[in-house]
């Protein structure tokens, strides 16, 4: 009676051992199974000093690799690269790159192999850089305070040296860089500051310089132009106080003045003082006389026009 339970227990143990061994064998066989995968491989190609790409090589190429499943499942494709060192060419200004891609050039982890390369060759075009002088024109960002404007900007030095493609016709085009001058909206006076030269795109190429520049900005009040109508014409008698003026034709004129907004506003609605000076008369006083209208000088104001310019006085 005791032998039957013992036999059953032994049978269960044997079955369990068989399942474990079978599972381990399956895992081992599965791990050795070969898997094929298409992966993007980064192109790492050097740029010779003093040269730049006008046509860049592709960033990646397609490669089909093969290896054990366990390796392929954990493969980090970012670590797979195709590299090429380009020697600095001499005696030429442009260089066409055509580099063949071989499976042996692609470094893979042990156990993985390249079975197919999707790109036969990597192509690109290089151009040699050469120094050239470029005009500097500042770029204004923002604006001064209300009522003020940028009247003038200067940059010292006016030219900077940059590296440009040797095949670019510098003499046939006016290249420019743009240092940026930023205004915050509170500036009412001149500014003096240092700025960096920004890059300037020329077609698909970029010109750069790391020079520091001295830039100055002259900020002035915005001139305001105003027309004053029906401005009364006054008479300046001077030493001729006994002279009797019976009429002034026309008695009023139109004046156009320009100057800072505050100076224009200070004139009010009456406008500037317009007068004729009878001290300018010579000879007989009685009768009709034509005299030029004049405007009493106001600082910062400029008179554009007086219409009419002359008036007729009648003296008795």
């Amino acid at each position: 009676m005791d032998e039957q339970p013992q036999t059953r227990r032994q049978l269960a143990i044997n079955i369990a051992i068989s399942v474990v061994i079978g599972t381990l064998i399956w895992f081992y066989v599965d791990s050795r199974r070969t898997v094929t995968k298409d992966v993007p491989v980064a192109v790492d190609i050097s740029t010779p000093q003093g040269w730049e790409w006008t046509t860049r090589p592709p960033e990646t190429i397609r490669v089909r690799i093969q290896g054990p499943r366990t390796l392929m499942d954990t493969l980090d494709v970012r670590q797979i690269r195709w590299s090429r060192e380009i020697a600095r060419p001499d005696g030429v200004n442009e260089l066409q790159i055509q580099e063949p891609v071989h499976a042996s050039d692609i470094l893979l982890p042990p156990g993985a192999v390249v079975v197919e390369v999707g790109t036969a060759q990597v192509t690109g075009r290089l151009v040699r850089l050469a120094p050239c002088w470029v005009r500097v024109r500042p770029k204004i960002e923002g604006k001064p305070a209300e009522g003020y404007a940028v009247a003038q900007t200067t940059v010292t030095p006016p030219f900077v040296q940059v590296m440009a493609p040797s095949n670019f016709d510098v003499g046939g085009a006016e290249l420019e860089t743009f240092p940026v001058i930023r205004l915050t909206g509170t500036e009412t006076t001149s500014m003096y500051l240092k700025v960096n030269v920004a890059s300037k795109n020329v077609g698909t190429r970029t010109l750069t310089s790391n020079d520091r520049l001295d830039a100055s900005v002259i900020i002035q009040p915005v001139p305001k132009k105003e027309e004053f109508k029906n401005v009364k014409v006054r008479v300046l008698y001077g030493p001729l106080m006994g002279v009797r003026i019976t009429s002034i034709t026309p008695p009023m004129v139109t004046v156009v003045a320009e100057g800072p907004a505050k100076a224009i506003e200070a004139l009010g609605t009456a406008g500037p003082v317009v007068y004729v000076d009878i001290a300018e008369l010579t000879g007989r006083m009685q009768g009709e006389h034509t005299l030029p209208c004049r405007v009493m000088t106001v600082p910062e104001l400029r008179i554009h026009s007086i219409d009419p310019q002359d008036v007729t006085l009648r003296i008795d």
Side-chain angles (χ1 to χ4, degrees):
M1 295 293 292
D2 294 338
E3 292 182 0
Q4 188 173 2
Q6 187 175 0
T7 302
R8 291 177 179 177
R9 188 164 45 252
Q10 185 63 42
L11 179 60
I13 293 173
N14 292 339
I15 292 173
I17 293 173
S18 299
V19 169
V20 171
I21 293 174
T23 302
L24 292 176
I25 292 174
W26 181 86
F27 273 113
Y28 175 78
V29 171
D30 183 67
S31 67
R32 304 302 296 175
R33 183 166 57 90
T34 301
V35 174
T36 302
K37 181 185 293 187
D38 288 342
V39 297
V41 174
V43 172
D44 185 8
I45 188 166
S46 66
T47 303
Q49 185 177 4
W51 290 70
E52 72 172 17
W53 295 99
T54 56
T55 303
R56 288 191 169 274
E59 293 184 357
T60 61
I61 56 176
R62 186 188 63 82
V63 174
R64 179 169 294 174
I65 62 176
Q66 195 175 75
R69 187 187 63 80
T70 52
L71 173 63
M72 300 299 283
D73 287 346
T74 59
L75 184 67
D76 186 357
V77 296
R78 294 174 298 179
Q79 297 180 356
I80 306 175
R81 311 185 75 82
W82 176 86
S83 301
R84 183 68 81 244
E85 190 78 19
I86 303 298
R88 184 175 179 178
D90 294 323
V92 294
N93 291 329
E94 293 186 68
L95 182 64
Q96 180 69 37
I97 302 298
Q98 293 179 331
E99 292 290 330
V101 179
H102 301 296
S104 58
D105 297 331
I106 301 172
L107 184 62
L108 295 173
V113 295
V114 175
V115 296
E116 182 184 341
V117 177
T119 304
Q121 64 179 9
V122 170
T123 62
R125 193 169 189 84
L126 286 164
V127 63
R128 185 172 60 84
L129 297 175
C132 68
W133 290 96
V134 176
R135 182 185 299 277
V136 178
R137 297 185 187 275
K139 177 183 178 182
I140 305 296
E141 288 188 356
K143 59 183 180 179
E146 185 176 357
Y148 292 83
V150 175
Q152 181 183 351
T153 57
T154 57
V155 178
T156 305
F159 291 86
V160 294
Q161 191 178 60
V162 300
M163 299 300 291
S166 56
N167 62 351
F168 190 82
D169 183 10
V170 176
E174 185 177 9
L175 310 185
E176 298 174 350
T177 56
F178 295 91
V180 176
I181 301 172
R182 292 181 174 85
L183 305 179
T184 62
T186 59
E187 290 83 3
T188 59
T189 57
S190 300
M191 300 173 60
Y192 181 81
L193 65 161
K194 290 184 178 292
V195 292
N196 282 319
V197 180
S199 64
K200 168 67 176 175
N201 289 328
V202 182
T204 58
R205 303 176 176 92
T206 300
L207 309 181
T208 59
S209 172
N210 295 321
D211 293 347
R212 295 283 291 182
L213 303 173
D214 294 330
S216 62
V217 182
I218 298 176
I219 298 172
Q220 294 178 344
V222 176
K224 183 179 181 181
K225 199 172 184 179
E226 190 78 16
E227 182 183 66
F228 297 92
K229 295 182 177 180
N230 300 323
V231 178
K232 183 179 179 181
V233 179
R234 305 171 187 270
V235 178
L236 184 63
Y237 288 91
L240 304 176
M241 293 300 295
V243 175
R244 181 170 174 265
I245 308 295
T246 57
S247 66
I248 301 175
T249 308
M252 297 181 181
V253 295
T254 299
V255 180
V256 177
E258 183 180 15
K262 290 184 179 180
I264 293 290
E265 292 168 1
L267 296 176
T269 58
V273 176
V274 178
Y275 67 94
V276 291
D277 189 355
I278 62 174
E280 297 178 13
L281 295 176
T282 58
R284 188 171 178 271
M285 291 291 171
Q286 283 74 19
E288 291 187 352
H289 303 275
T290 300
L291 288 175
C293 294
R294 306 191 184 282
V295 177
M296 191 166 291
T297 303
V298 177
E300 300 181 314
L301 281 186
R302 183 166 68 94
I303 303 301
H304 274 272
S305 64
I306 305 174
D307 185 28
Q309 296 181 346
D310 302 323
V311 294
T312 300
L313 274 69
R314 184 170 182 82
I315 301 176
D316 290 342

